[in-house]
Amino acid sequence: VRIRAVAVASETITREEIVDAVSIRGRILADPERDMALIAVFNRHESEPTGALGMARGLGLRSGAVAASLLWDTNNILAAGMSPAEMALAVNRLIELGGGLVVVRGKRVLAEMPMPVAGIISEKPIADLVKEAGQVEKALAGLGCGLTRPFLTLQNFCFTGLPFLRLTDKGLVDVRAGRLVPVIL
C-alpha cells in the first residue's frame, strides 16, 4: 500500500515521504530495514481520548518502542516503534508513571524517565534527571536510534507550529496546507 510517512528532516522539521508499505489484513507493518516505524498519538486530556496512527521515517529504530508525554504545545502521548505490542507496553508504562519517557524492547522496559507532575515535570534533583535522560538515550541508541538529540526530535514530531507533515491526535496534518490528509493514498 502507498502511504504518507512523516520523515525526520532535522531535529525540529519533518517532511512528507510517499512510500510503499507492507499491509497484512489491513494493518500496515513497520519495516526496520527501510527505517519505517509505526507511530501513534493519543490525546490524554479528554475524558474519551482520541488518537491517530501513522508511519515515521528517520528515527532509526530497528526494534522496540518509545513513548513520551513531553510533546510541545499539547503534552499528549506519542509512541513510536516496531510493533503495536511494544508500543502498547511503552504507553501503558508511561501512564503508570504519570508521564515522561519510556523505552522498551519485547516485553521489557529498558529505561524510563518519570515526569509525574502534569506528565512533563519531575520533582527529582537535576542530577537524577540527567542520569535518567542518559539511560533513556542509551536505550534508544541500543534500539538503533542514531538521532543526535532524540528528545528534541520526539517533542517536535507532533508540533504543528513547524513544517511540514505532523501526526496529531486528530490525524495527519499537512501544516502548510492547514488540513488533515490521509495516511493511505
PDB file of all heavy atoms in Angstrom, residues 93-120:
ATOM      1  N   ARG A  93       3.145   1.745  30.446  1.00  0.00           N
ATOM      2  CA  ARG A  93       4.107   2.072  31.500  1.00  0.00           C
ATOM      3  C   ARG A  93       4.183   3.588  31.691  1.00  0.00           C
ATOM      4  O   ARG A  93       4.268   4.071  32.829  1.00  0.00           O
ATOM      5  CB  ARG A  93       5.495   1.497  31.169  1.00  0.00           C
ATOM      6  CG  ARG A  93       6.533   1.796  32.204  1.00  0.00           C
ATOM      7  CD  ARG A  93       6.182   1.194  33.553  1.00  0.00           C
ATOM      8  NE  ARG A  93       7.186   1.567  34.544  1.00  0.00           N
ATOM      9  CZ  ARG A  93       6.958   1.702  35.830  1.00  0.00           C
ATOM     10  NH1 ARG A  93       5.743   1.444  36.321  1.00  0.00           N
ATOM     11  NH2 ARG A  93       7.913   2.061  36.652  1.00  0.00           N
ATOM     12  N   LEU A  94       4.136   4.333  30.610  1.00  0.00           N
ATOM     13  CA  LEU A  94       4.147   5.793  30.693  1.00  0.00           C
ATOM     14  C   LEU A  94       2.948   6.285  31.509  1.00  0.00           C
ATOM     15  O   LEU A  94       3.082   7.170  32.366  1.00  0.00           O
ATOM     16  CB  LEU A  94       4.114   6.391  29.285  1.00  0.00           C
ATOM     17  CG  LEU A  94       4.252   7.898  29.195  1.00  0.00           C
ATOM     18  CD1 LEU A  94       5.702   8.310  29.405  1.00  0.00           C
ATOM     19  CD2 LEU A  94       3.759   8.395  27.858  1.00  0.00           C
ATOM     20  N   ILE A  95       1.791   5.698  31.290  1.00  0.00           N
ATOM     21  CA  ILE A  95       0.588   6.066  32.038  1.00  0.00           C
ATOM     22  C   ILE A  95       0.775   5.741  33.521  1.00  0.00           C
ATOM     23  O   ILE A  95       0.425   6.540  34.395  1.00  0.00           O
ATOM     24  CB  ILE A  95      -0.655   5.385  31.438  1.00  0.00           C
ATOM     25  CG1 ILE A  95      -0.956   5.982  30.057  1.00  0.00           C
ATOM     26  CG2 ILE A  95      -1.862   5.511  32.360  1.00  0.00           C
ATOM     27  CD1 ILE A  95      -1.961   5.199  29.240  1.00  0.00           C
ATOM     28  N   GLU A  96       1.343   4.554  33.817  1.00  0.00           N
ATOM     29  CA  GLU A  96       1.610   4.184  35.214  1.00  0.00           C
ATOM     30  C   GLU A  96       2.521   5.199  35.897  1.00  0.00           C
ATOM     31  O   GLU A  96       2.345   5.506  37.076  1.00  0.00           O
ATOM     32  CB  GLU A  96       2.268   2.802  35.288  1.00  0.00           C
ATOM     33  CG  GLU A  96       1.371   1.651  34.961  1.00  0.00           C
ATOM     34  CD  GLU A  96       2.124   0.334  34.861  1.00  0.00           C
ATOM     35  OE1 GLU A  96       3.333   0.278  35.218  1.00  0.00           O
ATOM     36  OE2 GLU A  96       1.519  -0.650  34.414  1.00  0.00           O
ATOM     37  N   LEU A  97       3.497   5.723  35.158  1.00  0.00           N
ATOM     38  CA  LEU A  97       4.450   6.687  35.715  1.00  0.00           C
ATOM     39  C   LEU A  97       3.844   8.088  35.846  1.00  0.00           C
ATOM     40  O   LEU A  97       4.419   8.939  36.518  1.00  0.00           O
ATOM     41  CB  LEU A  97       5.700   6.771  34.837  1.00  0.00           C
ATOM     42  CG  LEU A  97       6.553   5.517  34.727  1.00  0.00           C
ATOM     43  CD1 LEU A  97       7.648   5.715  33.685  1.00  0.00           C
ATOM     44  CD2 LEU A  97       7.149   5.153  36.080  1.00  0.00           C
ATOM     45  N   GLY A  98       2.753   8.334  35.169  1.00  0.00           N
ATOM     46  CA  GLY A  98       2.158   9.665  35.168  1.00  0.00           C
ATOM     47  C   GLY A  98       2.753  10.573  34.110  1.00  0.00           C
ATOM     48  O   GLY A  98       2.515  11.772  34.101  1.00  0.00           O
ATOM     49  N   GLY A  99       3.551  10.017  33.199  1.00  0.00           N
ATOM     50  CA  GLY A  99       4.168  10.776  32.119  1.00  0.00           C
ATOM     51  C   GLY A  99       5.671  10.645  32.105  1.00  0.00           C
ATOM     52  O   GLY A  99       6.264  10.022  32.985  1.00  0.00           O
ATOM     53  N   GLY A 100       6.297  11.237  31.078  1.00  0.00           N
ATOM     54  CA  GLY A 100       7.751  11.189  30.935  1.00  0.00           C
ATOM     55  C   GLY A 100       8.169  10.519  29.646  1.00  0.00           C
ATOM     56  O   GLY A 100       7.598  10.766  28.588  1.00  0.00           O
ATOM     57  N   LEU A 101       9.164   9.635  29.768  1.00  0.00           N
ATOM     58  CA  LEU A 101       9.700   8.882  28.630  1.00  0.00           C
ATOM     59  C   LEU A 101       9.905   7.439  29.045  1.00  0.00           C
ATOM     60  O   LEU A 101      10.381   7.171  30.159  1.00  0.00           O
ATOM     61  CB  LEU A 101      11.037   9.460  28.178  1.00  0.00           C
ATOM     62  CG  LEU A 101      10.996  10.848  27.563  1.00  0.00           C
ATOM     63  CD1 LEU A 101      12.312  11.566  27.760  1.00  0.00           C
ATOM     64  CD2 LEU A 101      10.682  10.735  26.086  1.00  0.00           C
ATOM     65  N   VAL A 102       9.592   6.505  28.130  1.00  0.00           N
ATOM     66  CA  VAL A 102       9.766   5.080  28.390  1.00  0.00           C
ATOM     67  C   VAL A 102      10.295   4.426  27.120  1.00  0.00           C
ATOM     68  O   VAL A 102       9.792   4.687  26.029  1.00  0.00           O
ATOM     69  CB  VAL A 102       8.437   4.405  28.798  1.00  0.00           C
ATOM     70  CG1 VAL A 102       8.622   2.895  28.964  1.00  0.00           C
ATOM     71  CG2 VAL A 102       7.882   5.011  30.078  1.00  0.00           C
ATOM     72  N   VAL A 103      11.293   3.551  27.282  1.00  0.00           N
ATOM     73  CA  VAL A 103      11.847   2.793  26.161  1.00  0.00           C
ATOM     74  C   VAL A 103      11.720   1.305  26.487  1.00  0.00           C
ATOM     75  O   VAL A 103      12.092   0.878  27.593  1.00  0.00           O
ATOM     76  CB  VAL A 103      13.334   3.150  25.916  1.00  0.00           C
ATOM     77  CG1 VAL A 103      13.899   2.347  24.743  1.00  0.00           C
ATOM     78  CG2 VAL A 103      13.498   4.639  25.679  1.00  0.00           C
ATOM     79  N   VAL A 104      11.198   0.522  25.531  1.00  0.00           N
ATOM     80  CA  VAL A 104      11.015  -0.915  25.741  1.00  0.00           C
ATOM     81  C   VAL A 104      11.567  -1.708  24.566  1.00  0.00           C
ATOM     82  O   VAL A 104      11.715  -1.190  23.461  1.00  0.00           O
ATOM     83  CB  VAL A 104       9.524  -1.283  25.954  1.00  0.00           C
ATOM     84  CG1 VAL A 104       8.913  -0.491  27.085  1.00  0.00           C
ATOM     85  CG2 VAL A 104       8.710  -1.104  24.690  1.00  0.00           C
ATOM     86  N   ARG A 105      11.846  -2.978  24.835  1.00  0.00           N
ATOM     87  CA  ARG A 105      12.156  -3.950  23.774  1.00  0.00           C
ATOM     88  C   ARG A 105      11.499  -5.252  24.187  1.00  0.00           C
ATOM     89  O   ARG A 105      11.690  -5.723  25.301  1.00  0.00           O
ATOM     90  CB  ARG A 105      13.646  -4.173  23.601  1.00  0.00           C
ATOM     91  CG  ARG A 105      13.907  -5.230  22.487  1.00  0.00           C
ATOM     92  CD  ARG A 105      15.344  -5.663  22.344  1.00  0.00           C
ATOM     93  NE  ARG A 105      16.140  -4.580  21.795  1.00  0.00           N
ATOM     94  CZ  ARG A 105      17.362  -4.268  22.250  1.00  0.00           C
ATOM     95  NH1 ARG A 105      17.899  -4.921  23.248  1.00  0.00           N
ATOM     96  NH2 ARG A 105      18.040  -3.283  21.687  1.00  0.00           N
ATOM     97  N   GLY A 106      10.722  -5.802  23.272  1.00  0.00           N
ATOM     98  CA  GLY A 106       9.993  -7.026  23.603  1.00  0.00           C
ATOM     99  C   GLY A 106       9.008  -6.749  24.725  1.00  0.00           C
ATOM    100  O   GLY A 106       8.218  -5.828  24.644  1.00  0.00           O
ATOM    101  N   LYS A 107       9.106  -7.518  25.805  1.00  0.00           N
ATOM    102  CA  LYS A 107       8.205  -7.342  26.946  1.00  0.00           C
ATOM    103  C   LYS A 107       8.921  -6.705  28.133  1.00  0.00           C
ATOM    104  O   LYS A 107       8.456  -6.799  29.258  1.00  0.00           O
ATOM    105  CB  LYS A 107       7.622  -8.697  27.350  1.00  0.00           C
ATOM    106  CG  LYS A 107       6.749  -9.307  26.270  1.00  0.00           C
ATOM    107  CD  LYS A 107       6.174 -10.621  26.695  1.00  0.00           C
ATOM    108  CE  LYS A 107       5.293 -11.173  25.583  1.00  0.00           C
ATOM    109  NZ  LYS A 107       4.688 -12.440  25.969  1.00  0.00           N
ATOM    110  N   ARG A 108      10.048  -6.036  27.853  1.00  0.00           N
ATOM    111  CA  ARG A 108      10.876  -5.494  28.931  1.00  0.00           C
ATOM    112  C   ARG A 108      11.077  -3.982  28.803  1.00  0.00           C
ATOM    113  O   ARG A 108      11.379  -3.489  27.716  1.00  0.00           O
ATOM    114  CB  ARG A 108      12.236  -6.201  28.881  1.00  0.00           C
ATOM    115  CG  ARG A 108      13.041  -6.040  30.118  1.00  0.00           C
ATOM    116  CD  ARG A 108      14.268  -6.948  30.087  1.00  0.00           C
ATOM    117  NE  ARG A 108      15.374  -6.072  30.430  1.00  0.00           N
ATOM    118  CZ  ARG A 108      16.449  -5.875  29.714  1.00  0.00           C
ATOM    119  NH1 ARG A 108      16.628  -6.535  28.604  1.00  0.00           N
ATOM    120  NH2 ARG A 108      17.368  -5.047  30.099  1.00  0.00           N
ATOM    121  N   VAL A 109      10.919  -3.278  29.928  1.00  0.00           N
ATOM    122  CA  VAL A 109      11.229  -1.853  29.974  1.00  0.00           C
ATOM    123  C   VAL A 109      12.737  -1.719  30.096  1.00  0.00           C
ATOM    124  O   VAL A 109      13.350  -2.273  31.018  1.00  0.00           O
ATOM    125  CB  VAL A 109      10.526  -1.161  31.161  1.00  0.00           C
ATOM    126  CG1 VAL A 109      10.978   0.295  31.284  1.00  0.00           C
ATOM    127  CG2 VAL A 109       9.009  -1.240  31.007  1.00  0.00           C
ATOM    128  N   LEU A 110      13.361  -0.997  29.161  1.00  0.00           N
ATOM    129  CA  LEU A 110      14.811  -0.813  29.172  1.00  0.00           C
ATOM    130  C   LEU A 110      15.234   0.419  29.964  1.00  0.00           C
ATOM    131  O   LEU A 110      16.280   0.423  30.615  1.00  0.00           O
ATOM    132  CB  LEU A 110      15.341  -0.689  27.745  1.00  0.00           C
ATOM    133  CG  LEU A 110      15.083  -1.861  26.804  1.00  0.00           C
ATOM    134  CD1 LEU A 110      15.632  -1.559  25.415  1.00  0.00           C
ATOM    135  CD2 LEU A 110      15.686  -3.141  27.359  1.00  0.00           C
ATOM    136  N   ALA A 111      14.442   1.479  29.872  1.00  0.00           N
ATOM    137  CA  ALA A 111      14.775   2.729  30.568  1.00  0.00           C
ATOM    138  C   ALA A 111      13.515   3.573  30.669  1.00  0.00           C
ATOM    139  O   ALA A 111      12.609   3.459  29.841  1.00  0.00           O
ATOM    140  CB  ALA A 111      15.866   3.497  29.819  1.00  0.00           C
ATOM    141  N   GLU A 112      13.496   4.408  31.699  1.00  0.00           N
ATOM    142  CA  GLU A 112      12.361   5.312  31.854  1.00  0.00           C
ATOM    143  C   GLU A 112      12.795   6.564  32.600  1.00  0.00           C
ATOM    144  O   GLU A 112      13.762   6.553  33.355  1.00  0.00           O
ATOM    145  CB  GLU A 112      11.203   4.639  32.590  1.00  0.00           C
ATOM    146  CG  GLU A 112      11.563   4.091  33.940  1.00  0.00           C
ATOM    147  CD  GLU A 112      10.478   3.218  34.554  1.00  0.00           C
ATOM    148  OE1 GLU A 112       9.781   2.486  33.825  1.00  0.00           O
ATOM    149  OE2 GLU A 112      10.337   3.279  35.785  1.00  0.00           O
ATOM    150  N   MET A 113      12.054   7.620  32.329  1.00  0.00           N
ATOM    151  CA  MET A 113      12.282   8.907  32.975  1.00  0.00           C
ATOM    152  C   MET A 113      10.910   9.437  33.393  1.00  0.00           C
ATOM    153  O   MET A 113      10.221  10.089  32.610  1.00  0.00           O
ATOM    154  CB  MET A 113      12.965   9.868  32.001  1.00  0.00           C
ATOM    155  CG  MET A 113      13.329  11.192  32.586  1.00  0.00           C
ATOM    156  SD  MET A 113      14.248  12.138  31.312  1.00  0.00           S
ATOM    157  CE  MET A 113      14.269  13.725  32.084  1.00  0.00           C
ATOM    158  N   PRO A 114      10.483   9.116  34.624  1.00  0.00           N
ATOM    159  CA  PRO A 114       9.161   9.546  35.079  1.00  0.00           C
ATOM    160  C   PRO A 114       9.057  11.068  35.205  1.00  0.00           C
ATOM    161  O   PRO A 114       9.973  11.719  35.684  1.00  0.00           O
ATOM    162  CB  PRO A 114       9.013   8.893  36.455  1.00  0.00           C
ATOM    163  CG  PRO A 114      10.061   7.841  36.522  1.00  0.00           C
ATOM    164  CD  PRO A 114      11.164   8.286  35.618  1.00  0.00           C
ATOM    165  N   MET A 115       7.922  11.597  34.753  1.00  0.00           N
ATOM    166  CA  MET A 115       7.609  13.024  34.869  1.00  0.00           C
ATOM    167  C   MET A 115       6.158  13.110  35.364  1.00  0.00           C
ATOM    168  O   MET A 115       5.250  13.441  34.597  1.00  0.00           O
ATOM    169  CB  MET A 115       7.762  13.719  33.520  1.00  0.00           C
ATOM    170  CG  MET A 115       9.124  13.530  32.853  1.00  0.00           C
ATOM    171  SD  MET A 115      10.435  14.297  33.745  1.00  0.00           S
ATOM    172  CE  MET A 115      10.685  15.755  32.801  1.00  0.00           C
ATOM    173  N   PRO A 116       5.923  12.803  36.647  1.00  0.00           N
ATOM    174  CA  PRO A 116       4.558  12.657  37.145  1.00  0.00           C
ATOM    175  C   PRO A 116       3.773  13.955  37.366  1.00  0.00           C
ATOM    176  O   PRO A 116       2.553  13.895  37.509  1.00  0.00           O
ATOM    177  CB  PRO A 116       4.754  11.918  38.466  1.00  0.00           C
ATOM    178  CG  PRO A 116       6.114  12.313  38.918  1.00  0.00           C
ATOM    179  CD  PRO A 116       6.923  12.468  37.653  1.00  0.00           C
ATOM    180  N   VAL A 117       4.421  15.096  37.378  1.00  0.00           N
ATOM    181  CA  VAL A 117       3.697  16.351  37.573  1.00  0.00           C
ATOM    182  C   VAL A 117       3.222  16.840  36.203  1.00  0.00           C
ATOM    183  O   VAL A 117       4.028  17.295  35.381  1.00  0.00           O
ATOM    184  CB  VAL A 117       4.573  17.416  38.270  1.00  0.00           C
ATOM    185  CG1 VAL A 117       3.790  18.706  38.462  1.00  0.00           C
ATOM    186  CG2 VAL A 117       5.117  16.897  39.599  1.00  0.00           C
ATOM    187  N   ALA A 118       1.922  16.684  35.955  1.00  0.00           N
ATOM    188  CA  ALA A 118       1.293  17.056  34.688  1.00  0.00           C
ATOM    189  C   ALA A 118       1.887  16.311  33.495  1.00  0.00           C
ATOM    190  O   ALA A 118       1.700  16.707  32.355  1.00  0.00           O
ATOM    191  CB  ALA A 118       1.359  18.566  34.466  1.00  0.00           C
ATOM    192  N   GLY A 119       2.622  15.240  33.741  1.00  0.00           N
ATOM    193  CA  GLY A 119       3.206  14.455  32.663  1.00  0.00           C
ATOM    194  C   GLY A 119       4.426  15.079  32.020  1.00  0.00           C
ATOM    195  O   GLY A 119       4.963  14.553  31.048  1.00  0.00           O
ATOM    196  N   ILE A 120       4.909  16.227  32.577  1.00  0.00           N
ATOM    197  CA  ILE A 120       6.028  16.946  31.957  1.00  0.00           C
ATOM    198  C   ILE A 120       7.083  17.431  32.947  1.00  0.00           C
ATOM    199  O   ILE A 120       8.086  18.004  32.544  1.00  0.00           O
ATOM    200  CB  ILE A 120       5.522  18.151  31.134  1.00  0.00           C
ATOM    201  CG1 ILE A 120       4.746  19.128  32.007  1.00  0.00           C
ATOM    202  CG2 ILE A 120       4.685  17.682  29.959  1.00  0.00           C
ATOM    203  CD1 ILE A 120       4.393  20.440  31.339  1.00  0.00           C
TER     204      ILE A 120
END
